[in-house]
Amino acid sequence: MNRSTRPWPALWALVIGFFMILVDTTIVSIAYPAILADLDTDLTTVIWVTSAYLLAYAVPLLITGRLGDRFGPKRVYLVGLVVFTLASLWCGLSGEIAMLIAARAAQGLGAALMTPQTMAVITRVFPPNQRGAAMGLWGSVAGVATLLGPILGGVLVDSLGWQWVFFVNVPVGIIAFVAAWRLVPSLETRVHRFDWLGVVLSAVGMFLIVFGVQEGPTYDWGTIVGPVTVWGVIVAGVIVMAGFIAWQALNRAEPLLPLGLFRDRNFALSNVAISLVGVAMTAMPLPLAFFLQVALGLPPTQAALMLAPMAVVSGVLAPFVGRFSDRVDPKWVAVAGLSTSAVALGWYAAVLRPDAPLWLLLLPSALLGIGISGVFAPLASTATRNLAREHAGAGSGVYTLTRQVGSVLGSAAIAALMSVALSAQLPGFDAEEATPGAGGGLPAAVVDGFSVAMGHSLLLAVAAFALCAVVVLCFARPKVTVGWGEGPDASSAARGGASAGLDATAGAGESVHAEASARAEVSTSGAER
């Protein structure tokens, strides 16, 4: 890293765009009823506004992470930011549902280009003993975006129209572009051959899997068209992805995915954990939103405010938790955060009753914020801690991809679980009656059963968080960091994939010579990796 590089201004510039992506993910759901009415479409079609974004976001992530290694994370981030901003303008100008779906797919591609670069820059410009604090800021941005998205969406839809949930991205995108252009450093790139066969195999395989899981409930897990079934698409995707992995193992030149990354136990573990977190974070909001808006009849803005304690507490605590995880083994921070999140959601599930006072529902929301603040920074810091510099982009792309795939699985699973829970509690209940934003709530005869069903549905997120805590507790190795010094010896060690066992608890600002790093590696590499 160049000594003139200023890591924190660079990170602040990047999180403006990252914040915009996260807000855009949550802001659109509030606009669905208005979009459905204004564009004269149906519920199944309007769901594609999210499905197209999700597919275009998830499928290219492995490729876009590698593009950051090849062309530089700053360049790829700026290109993605331009694509995302122009696609947002296109979304707002759409006069028919097909055009809006196409524009949302373009937005997803822009987000896929941007997201891995943020994490790659953190890995490359921050020394290992400061990455926890940087990831803490990254996590706090997610918390604030979770709060602002639904509230801002409700205000914009009520006052200016649904188009403005997309138009608002244009000025933000321009500001983010100028900030990133001026403050994010141009990092060195590697000239290498690009694995085009790997690109095709990974893209096709991921598309088939994500499409099958995402659209399975739409086709009732049966026939899509002719002999093509949902399960057939998923199996085909798994086969193609198996072929991709086999090709990566055989390709000795420039594989798209360096499988050696997974020899680092902490990297492999963090990918399993973040996929479970993706399941939980996607499964959590839907039952809560349905309970607040359908069972209690709260308007969208007020329902969003009921989740405000979670976002506020998480946003405030995340930077402090990030710094704390630089001083202790982040394994214990993650276990505490994941366990607290599981307890909070279990509490939520127990109090989701129509006669519960609103103030009582704010308490598990606040506890959940405490738990979530201890999840993202420790996991991300653990995932990237041992990555060699030239693998930062690829590793970030893999990590982001597994989180996104977990989110897709969580989305499909929670929809199925809610349907089963409703059938068990309210036999013969028409799901079309459960429409958020109905205003008046449900009839008294069904509101109790509906509330219990939503509480039971939350148990999926409880189980995902709890399982993730067990995985981290049982399998995580002690804290190990790569010694990215600025001398030629350290640089050479990083390029060779060396993992220096530096104990950051010995002092965050302590200087460690390359010779000491090499000696540490000899004694720790066999035990830690």
Side-chain angles (χ1 to χ4, degrees):
M1 182 183 70
N2 192 312
R3 291 183 183 274
S4 63
T5 298
R6 296 187 299 162
W8 287 104
L11 179 59
W12 277 108
L14 288 171
V15 298
I16 297 173
F18 183 57
F19 179 82
M20 180 173 65
I21 293 172
L22 294 176
V23 168
D24 197 74
T25 301
T26 57
I27 200 174
V28 175
S29 59
I30 297 296
Y32 274 166
I35 293 173
L36 192 148
D38 191 42
L39 298 185
D40 192 24
T41 185
D42 56 79
L43 183 60
T44 301
T45 304
V46 83
I47 289 175
W48 267 101
V49 175
T50 292
S51 297
Y53 179 84
L54 184 64
L55 288 168
Y57 192 176
V59 169
L61 278 172
L62 191 60
I63 304 167
T64 56
R66 192 65 168 172
L67 287 175
D69 286 337
R70 175 63 182 85
F71 298 104
K74 177 178 179 178
R75 293 188 185 94
V76 177
Y77 175 86
L78 290 175
V79 170
L81 184 56
V82 170
V83 171
F84 188 92
T85 304
L86 292 178
S88 297
L89 180 62
W90 183 13
C91 287
L93 296 174
S94 298
E96 56 184 25
I97 190 64
M99 184 180 295
L100 178 58
I101 291 171
R104 282 285 282 170
Q107 262 193 326
L109 177 59
L113 287 166
M114 294 168 63
T115 303
Q117 316 317 323
T118 306
M119 195 169 168
V121 169
I122 293 175
T123 304
R124 295 178 65 177
V125 305
F126 282 90
N129 57 8
Q130 293 182 18
R131 282 185 214 150
M135 293 298 182
L137 172 62
W138 194 60
S140 67
V141 168
V144 174
T146 302
L147 166 65
L148 185 60
I151 297 174
L152 181 60
V155 171
L156 290 174
V157 171
D158 289 340
S159 59
L160 298 173
W162 65 264
Q163 294 86 348
W164 281 90
V165 303
F166 302 109
F167 285 149
V168 73
N169 292 331
V170 176
V172 177
I174 293 172
I175 294 171
F177 185 92
V178 173
W181 180 271
R182 291 178 59 87
L183 298 174
V184 176
S186 296
L187 302 174
E188 69 268 18
T189 61
R190 294 186 65 207
V191 178
H192 55 70
R193 291 156 55 188
F194 206 67
D195 182 10
W196 289 110
L197 179 58
V199 169
V200 173
L201 289 175
S202 64
V204 172
M206 277 307 307
F207 174 82
L208 292 174
I209 293 173
V210 172
F211 179 87
V213 173
Q214 177 72 18
E215 293 302 311
T218 302
Y219 296 98
D220 198 24
W221 301 99
T223 299
I224 297 177
V225 59
V228 180
T229 65
V230 170
W231 288 109
V233 169
I234 295 174
V235 170
V238 171
I239 293 173
V240 174
M241 286 303 295
F244 165 71
I245 294 172
W247 168 243
Q248 297 306 288
L250 294 172
N251 184 3
R252 302 300 181 186
E254 290 285 347
L256 182 64
L257 172 62
L259 295 180
L261 291 174
F262 292 94
R263 295 193 188 103
D264 181 344
R265 187 168 180 172
N266 281 350
F267 180 80
L269 166 77
S270 298
N271 277 273
V272 173
I274 199 62
S275 66
L276 290 170
V277 170
V279 170
M281 293 299 291
T282 306
M284 172 188 67
L286 198 58
L288 291 175
F290 268 69
F291 171 76
L292 294 170
Q293 295 187 53
V294 178
L296 300 188
L298 299 181
T301 301
Q302 187 176 353
L305 287 173
M306 292 298 297
L307 302 178
M310 174 191 68
V312 171
V313 171
S314 175
V316 170
L317 291 182
F320 299 100
V321 172
R323 293 189 185 95
F324 182 67
S325 66
D326 281 331
R327 294 171 172 82
V328 301
D329 190 338
K331 163 183 175 176
W332 300 112
V333 180
V335 168
L338 292 163
S339 302
T340 302
S341 299
V343 170
L345 284 171
W347 187 4
Y348 245 140
V351 298
L352 287 192
R353 299 294 183 269
D355 56 349
L358 293 182
W359 64 265
L360 180 60
L361 298 175
L362 298 175
L363 299 181
S365 178
L367 183 62
L368 185 58
I370 296 173
I372 290 175
S373 69
V375 170
F376 289 101
L379 286 180
S381 181
T382 301
T384 60
R385 189 175 299 277
N386 297 342
L387 293 184
R389 183 175 301 184
E390 69 270 20
H391 292 155
S396 300
V398 173
Y399 185 80
T400 308
L401 173 66
T402 54
R403 182 186 66 190
Q404 192 71 7
V405 170
S407 298
V408 175
L409 295 173
S411 177
I414 194 62
L417 184 57
M418 286 173 61
S419 177
V420 170
L422 283 171
S423 297
Q425 294 294 326
L426 300 170
F429 179 74
D430 184 1
E432 292 296 323
E433 297 179 37
T435 304
L442 290 173
V446 300
V447 69
D448 284 335
F450 185 88
S451 301
V452 171
M454 295 303 99
H456 288 173
S457 299
L458 272 181
L459 296 179
L460 172 63
V462 175
F465 269 129
L467 178 59
C468 188
V470 171
V471 168
V472 173
L473 178 63
C474 295
F475 297 107
R477 291 296 193 185
K479 181 169 159 179
V480 184
T481 59
V482 171
W484 282 6
E486 298 188 28
D489 292 341
S491 177
S492 176
R495 285 193 296 271
S499 173
L502 308 179
D503 187 356
T505 60
E510 186 178 13
S511 173
V512 183
H513 294 293
E515 293 83 0
S517 300
R519 288 194 299 271
E521 193 217 348
V522 171
S523 63
T524 61
S525 59
E528 300 299 338
R529 298 190 93 176

